[in-house]
Amino acid sequence: AQSVTQPDIHITVSEGASLELRCNYSYGATPYLFWYVQSPGQGLQLLLKYFSGDTLVQGIKGFEAEFKRSQSSFNLRKPSVHWSDAAEYFCAVGAYGGGGGSNYKLTFGKGTLLTVNP
Amino acid sequence: DTGVSQDPRHKITKRGQNVTFRCDPISEHNRLYWYRQTLGQGPEFLTYFQNEAQLEKSRLLSDRFSAERPKGSFSTLEIQRTEQGDSAMYLCASSLGPGNIQYFGAGTRLSVL
């Protein structure tokens, strides 16, 4: 079964500083990988996704992530953080399970809470 | 396309009562998923539908939980005889087929007193 580890529960950065959020996954095949962001009391908004091809993917709001198969990682980066980026960030792996191969679901990490200092 | 909508946004109930949540997916999406998110955790898969067929249920979905998707459009999630441990955010997502992006609603936050 697939799993996702986000080692950092809480990260604090200053506005304008660079950001890297870590994500490690476990899955037997090439995974579909996602980063979602959740503001307080809200649902999840997709930041970016990796399905195949170029291992550096660009997303919305200036975020990017790099898929490294050798490290089973999909870290999220942003060169300059804005106060509005404060939120919780979730890494997820999408994978097919049993049931004839059509059972597909997302498995999420526990999230990283980002605080941005002025 | 108004996105995935969930109703109600918040529900407060007493232990032992039944509650029902509704999810309206993006109109052309044939897959609909339910997830549960507790405090400090990421969303956890509960169940999903392909059109009107419920194809997989997590072990998290006890006998007190039932989900339906009549006519393959909106879905309902019912919890009978609620317990305090059911307090969580219940998220609905929809997608156009498996392996495609899942779009999430804002969720229904359930508090069981």
Side-chain angles (χ1 to χ4, degrees), chain A residues 14-58:
Chain A
S14 298
E15 191 169 16
S18 63
L19 171 71
E20 182 169 25
L21 302 182
R22 296 183 291 164
C23 172
N24 293 96
Y25 69 89
S26 173
Y27 183 57
T30 301
Y32 297 162
L33 295 164
F34 306 84
W35 275 98
Y36 284 87
V37 61
Q38 185 178 38
S39 297
Q42 300 299 312
L44 302 173
Q45 181 184 21
L46 180 70
L47 286 176
L48 47 77
K49 63 187 186 297
Y50 172 78
F51 285 171
S52 65
D54 193 346
T55 56
L56 184 63
V57 294
Q58 303 297 320

Side-chain angles (χ1 to χ4, degrees), chain A residues 36 38 41 102-104 106, chain B residues 9 31 33 35 37 48 102:
Chain A
Y36 284 87
Q38 185 178 38
S102 66
N103 287 347
Y104 173 89
L106 297 179
Chain B
R9 291 292 309 278
R31 289 228 166 182
Y33 299 81
Y35 292 84
Q37 184 180 20
Y48 87 93
Q102 293 184 21

Side-chain angles (χ1 to χ4, degrees), chain B residues 16-86:
Chain B
Q17 298 295 304
N18 299 343
V19 295
T20 300
F21 312 141
R22 177 180 171 124
C23 171
D24 287 89
I26 294 172
S27 58
E28 66 269 24
H29 285 184
N30 54 4
R31 289 228 166 182
L32 186 149
Y33 299 81
W34 286 98
Y35 292 84
R36 182 172 70 184
Q37 184 180 20
T38 54
L39 202 61
Q41 302 294 317
E44 296 174 289
F45 170 80
L46 291 179
T47 188
Y48 87 93
F49 293 83
Q50 169 86 17
N51 299 314
E52 67 276 6
Q54 187 176 16
L55 297 184
E56 186 180 2
K57 292 191 286 187
S58 162
R59 284 173 289 181
L60 293 175
L61 215 64
S62 76
D63 292 344
R64 297 183 296 105
F65 288 69
S66 62
E68 294 183 340
R69 194 184 182 195
K71 303 179 183 178
S73 56
F74 71 91
S75 176
T76 58
L77 178 67
E78 181 184 15
I79 309 174
Q80 296 182 327
R81 305 181 304 281
T82 52
E83 301 173 356
Q84 287 186 327
D86 298 330

